[in-house]
Amino acid sequence: MKYQDLLIVNGDLVLDAGHNPEVIQDRAVIAQDIKHAILESQLAVMMIAERSQSKKADIRTQIELLVEEDVRLVPGTVRIEEPRNGSLYIFAQTTDFGDVSFSVIEVKDE
């Protein structure tokens, strides 16, 4: 184990059955850190609000550059997918823990 952090979901600390903070490690920490960086940058909000495809492409590039700054990722492995439903998924390869993927914006089908 190289990295350790507390699990945060929807801005709240996650507690286990004993009401202790849930701990995450390594790959999950990297994913959580990158997700929080994207959310704090407001780029995800800009992506949701934007209607222009060219401006959305620019925001997607900005997100990719932000993610690429993380030194725990293999340069050039970041991939962003935005299915038609408005979700936003990030895929990359870590230097020590293999592939990592997570959603920044996830639109649930009803």
Side-chain angles (χ1 to χ4, degrees), residues 32-108:
Q32 179 171 277
D33 288 349
I34 294 169
K35 181 175 183 174
H36 289 164
I38 293 168
L39 293 172
E40 290 168 9
S41 73
Q42 295 295 307
L43 291 169
V45 174
M46 293 168 57
M47 178 74 88
I48 293 170
E50 189 55 59
R51 297 290 173 241
S52 164
Q53 290 304 313
S54 63
K55 289 181 182 178
K56 283 182 94 155
D58 181 52
I59 295 167
R60 212 171 9 262
T61 300
Q62 290 178 56
I63 292 172
E64 186 175 334
L65 292 172
L66 176 66
V67 174
E68 285 275 358
E69 289 178 7
D70 194 309
V71 298
R72 300 170 293 184
L73 299 178
V74 176
T77 63
V78 174
R79 190 174 89 248
I80 298 174
E81 289 187 13
E82 185 185 4
R84 292 182 187 253
N85 70 353
S87 298
L88 185 67
Y89 300 101
I90 310 293
F91 302 89
Q93 185 175 354
T94 66
T95 55
D96 297 321
F97 307 107
D99 294 338
V100 64
S101 62
F102 56 94
S103 65
V104 177
I105 304 167
E106 189 166 350
V107 178
K108 305 276 187 209

